[in-house]
Amino acid sequence: MTTDPISIAAAMDAERDPGSDTPSAADGERRTLPPVLSKAPPVAMVIFGASGDLTARKILPALARLADRGVLDDGFTVIGVARTEWSDDEFRAHVTESTPDGGPKWRALTGRFKYVTGEYDHPDTFDQLRSHLDEADRIDGTDGNRLYYLATIPSVFGLVAQALAKHGCTGPGAGGNFARVVVEKPFGRDLDSALALNDEMHRAFDESQIYRIDHYMGKETVQNVLALRFANAIFEPIWNRRYVEQVQVTVAESLGVEHRGGFYETAGALRDIVQNHVMQVLALTLMESPTSTEADRVRDEKVKLLQAIDIPTPDEAVDKSVRGQYLAGTVDGVDVPGYRAEDDVAPDSQTETYLALRLRVENWRWAGVPIYVRTGKRLPARVTEVALTFRQVPFLLFDHRSSRDLRPNTLILRIQPDEGISLEFGAKVPGEKFHIRSVAMDFSYDEAFAGADAADGYERLIHDAMVGDATLFIRSDEVEQAWRIVDPYLTAWSEPGGGLHFYPAGTWGPHMADLLVERSGDEWRNPVVDLELSGGRQTHLEQ
Ligand code: BG6
């Protein structure tokens, strides 16, 4: 662990007075926090796609926070690589612009950052890169350690890996301990392309060097699923088909495709969210206990769970899924256009912006328990949650009238926003009559860990790649199995018409999605309304 705690005076100020950037007089006393991440080793980080959106929005800000936490070593530097013609100085200016909140520790490092303009398959690019890497080892003290980050368009991932191999860059430099590569999503666009990409990556790097990123795994609330399940005695005995009646995973967004219409047209909700984020969340929620927290032991269990998810025939895939696309509507009081009117979207686009699935997990723990999954853009709220609904009591003592407001016990893992866990259960309403209704017992991260200043997803994952902890990264067999599960849906939908249903923006998806669950006598939770009805704390869900 690092011994260099960071000052969070500014964060505390913001907490006290969210409307103001100006510290108040009472804030003179500076508080320090225990460091949340261990110190990283010296390393030269090479970002391919250095002039792109992801680098500016996620990677550089995460690095700036790591620097200001004191996590980055003095022997840390960045070498940006991209096709945009920039000098070192122009890249550094871009870095500064992308990290306006960067503190002195970050700024002390950025002056040494280098940039290579070049094509991703051209020898000159990699010759220059090599000489920068050697120089960084000599001058900046990066000690021969390398972390490559592929933040380019996916079609060049394999190309870059091959070029690195060809130029002798896939091992550590002189005196170094490691060379690792972080690969962004999407990893493939179907099973065949994922297999081909794994093959290409493995010709350049050993699997132990490859860190496939899924930013959902960097979320504290996702990691907390492991703590909840395996650090507590009370949940595991009921975490199975005997007690759980159904599981619902919701990844709802109120935003549309924003400026990413071009990308989204090639993806859709299945590839964008379900194949990666949803499968990861499901795996952690439903897998067996790993034998240790070692990366491969956790990933072994995730793979086993994914292997137990049923792979439908294309006919079954049609029957068990509902695809939707948003029409114009109103979200949070604002009129928004339909998907087909978004920039870079075809006027007759068949891409799904909503998807509901009914999955089965065929193993002893979950056989017969429906697993419902839904995700969509332009839904009424931004909320990601996993809800486990428990079976009713075998015999209900109270008559229908007294218990009409009683709903099944439900455990809700709120991944975001308003991070926490709720347990809904029945309680007697005070009064003479025996009237029972559902109430909620709540755990809120913000309240329980106030001021904890947790690392965000990218920060955590980049740090883990630097220290060589692959637990939260996706192994090749995991990514392939996730594609095996979703591939039949892609095949089924590629038929003319593809069964697309429409929903007005600001609603919970197409009516057909309700029928998908009603067929089994179930219904979708309304993540916003249900919690409020249960008498729990008022939600602060962002719209
Ligand atoms: C990304 C998707 O992986 O996840 C986006 O490409 C989506 O379309 C985003 O908006 C959602 O992430 P989060 O962390 O906001 O739930």
Side-chain angles (χ1 to χ4, degrees):
M1 298 286 274
T2 171
T3 51
D4 189 7
I6 59 158
S7 158
I8 56 149
M12 299 301 291
D13 295 339
E15 230 169 63
R16 278 186 277 265
D17 181 8
S20 158
D21 291 330
T22 321
S24 71
D27 296 316
E29 208 179 298
R30 296 179 87 76
R31 264 185 57 175
T32 53
L33 270 184
V36 291
L37 295 169
S38 62
K39 186 121 186 165
V43 61
M45 181 161 168
V46 180
I47 305 176
F48 291 93
S51 59
D53 191 49
L54 183 74
T55 303
R57 280 191 309 111
K58 299 288 184 188
I59 302 175
L60 293 171
L63 288 173
R65 284 191 300 272
L66 287 173
D68 289 331
R69 281 181 192 282
V71 166
L72 297 186
D73 192 88
D74 289 343
F76 171 84
T77 196
V78 169
I79 303 168
V81 184
R83 286 177 290 205
T84 309
E85 289 201 16
W86 275 345
S87 64
D88 288 344
D89 279 344
E90 282 169 313
F91 177 55
R92 289 174 198 152
H94 175 73
V95 170
T96 307
E97 237 171 74
S98 313
T99 52
D101 300 330
K105 288 183 184 162
W106 172 242
R107 286 197 298 273
L109 288 172
T110 56
R112 58 163 69 153
F113 289 3
K114 294 275 182 338
Y115 184 80
V116 177
T117 301
E119 294 297 325
Y120 294 121
D121 57 350
H122 201 285
D124 286 355
T125 312
F126 293 85
D127 289 342
Q128 268 193 64
L129 175 61
R130 266 210 81 139
S131 77
H132 280 320
L133 283 169
D134 292 343
E135 195 182 289
D137 289 343
R138 271 197 330 273
I139 298 170
D140 302 325
T142 49
D143 283 5
N145 295 328
R146 281 104 175 76
L147 182 65
Y148 300 107
Y149 198 119
L150 306 189
T152 58
I153 47 166
S155 55
V156 302
F157 290 167
L159 208 66
V160 173
Q162 293 304 311
L164 285 169
K166 212 153 120 198
H167 290 79
C169 295
T170 51
N177 291 315
F178 64 85
R180 303 185 184 119
V181 58
V182 177
V183 192
E184 261 299 331
K185 73 168 262 259
F187 196 94
R189 45 176 297 104
D190 53 21
L191 178 61
D192 286 347
S193 54
L195 288 168
L197 181 53
N198 267 336
D199 194 45
E200 251 185 311
M201 294 302 299
H202 287 151
R203 276 188 275 131
F205 291 93
D206 184 74
E207 175 63 21
S208 62
Q209 296 177 281
I210 305 173
Y211 288 65
R212 296 174 195 78
I213 207 165
D214 181 320
H215 79 280
Y216 261 59
M217 291 298 287
K219 293 182 193 278
E220 285 287 342
T221 41
V222 172
Q223 294 160 34
N224 190 49
V225 174
L226 291 180
L228 177 84
R229 294 192 54 201
F230 303 123
N232 297 294
I234 60 168
F235 297 112
E236 202 47 28
I238 55 169
W239 210 265
N240 56 52
R241 64 191 302 278
R242 213 165 147 208
Y243 295 96
V244 176
E245 193 173 63
Q246 55 157 296
V247 178
Q248 288 191 13
V249 179
T250 301
V251 180
E253 296 183 88
S254 51
L255 290 178
V257 289
E258 307 297 291
H259 58 283
R260 296 164 74 227
F263 156 77
Y264 203 83
E265 278 287 88
T266 65
L270 184 84
R271 290 187 173 100
D272 192 39
I273 300 281
V274 174
Q275 186 273 342
N276 36 67
H277 308 327
V278 167
M279 288 299 156
Q280 290 301 313
V281 170
L282 271 182
L284 290 179
T285 309
L286 305 178
M287 72 185 192
E288 298 301 313
S289 168
T291 49
S292 76
T293 54
E294 207 185 304
D296 274 334
R297 298 297 76 78
V298 174
R299 299 192 295 181
D300 287 347
E301 293 308 328
K302 282 163 67 192
V303 172
K304 278 192 230 161
L305 188 279
L306 293 175
Q307 285 167 343
I309 295 183
D310 67 312
I311 298 180
T313 62
D315 279 353
E316 286 168 343
V318 170
D319 192 47
K320 296 160 105 190
S321 66
V322 173
R323 314 167 67 214
Q325 191 184 81
Y326 62 82
L327 301 168
T330 309
V331 180
D332 198 20
V334 178
D335 289 343
V336 296
Y339 176 69
R340 289 178 177 179
E342 302 274 17
D343 288 347
D344 303 322
V345 170
D348 58 350
S349 169
Q350 296 296 312
T351 304
E352 80 281 358
T353 59
Y354 174 97
L355 179 58
L357 298 177
R358 196 177 64 222
L359 302 174
R360 285 198 315 260
V361 175
E362 291 167 333
N363 64 16
W364 276 53
R365 189 185 281 268
W366 297 113
V369 179
I371 314 290
Y372 298 116
V373 164
R374 69 182 153 164
T375 182
K377 296 212 182 268
R378 287 286 187 228
L379 300 186
R382 173 175 183 248
V383 54
T384 297
E385 63 163 42
V386 180
L388 289 91
T389 300
F390 293 88
R391 295 191 188 283
Q392 300 278 17
V393 292
F395 163 71
L396 190 60
L397 189 61
F398 312 102
D399 64 29
H400 174 70
R401 272 183 47 206
S402 351
S403 61
R404 65 175 182 268
D405 296 329
L406 175 66
R407 291 176 300 133
N409 295 156
T410 306
L411 183 71
I412 302 135
L413 317 182
R414 287 195 311 277
I415 308 288
Q416 66 185 20
D418 205 17
E419 290 80 358
I421 295 173
S422 295
L423 178 64
E424 293 183 11
F425 60 97
K428 180 181 174 300
V429 179
E432 183 188 337
K433 297 228 173 77
F434 226 101
H435 179 194
I436 318 271
R437 79 163 167 84
S438 289
V439 294
M441 197 153 70
D442 273 322
F443 152 67
S444 149
Y445 269 83
D446 274 0
E447 285 166 23
F449 301 115
D453 193 26
D456 86 354
Y458 272 88
E459 210 182 330
R460 170 66 198 264
L461 292 171
I462 292 172
H463 165 270
D464 285 6
M466 286 180 187
V467 300
D469 182 350
T471 313
L472 301 176
F473 293 85
I474 320 302
R475 211 167 57 186
S476 58
D477 49 353
E478 262 180 88
V479 84
E480 288 171 11
Q481 192 58 28
W483 278 118
R484 246 172 232 118
I485 296 165
V486 303
D487 243 21
Y489 298 95
L490 293 170
T491 313
W493 302 335
S494 60
E495 301 300 316
L500 194 63
H501 304 274
F502 295 89
Y503 61 100
T507 66
W508 281 105
H511 177 57
M512 282 299 284
D514 296 337
L515 300 182
L516 182 79
V517 294
E518 282 167 15
R519 274 196 332 233
S520 316
D522 297 320
E523 59 181 27
W524 292 111
R525 273 174 49 75
N526 180 329
V528 183
V529 174
D530 281 1
L531 194 60
E532 285 169 356
L533 278 184
S534 69
R537 138 204 67 70
Q538 290 296 302
T539 53
H540 323 288
L541 297 176
E542 287 168 33
Q543 294 296 304

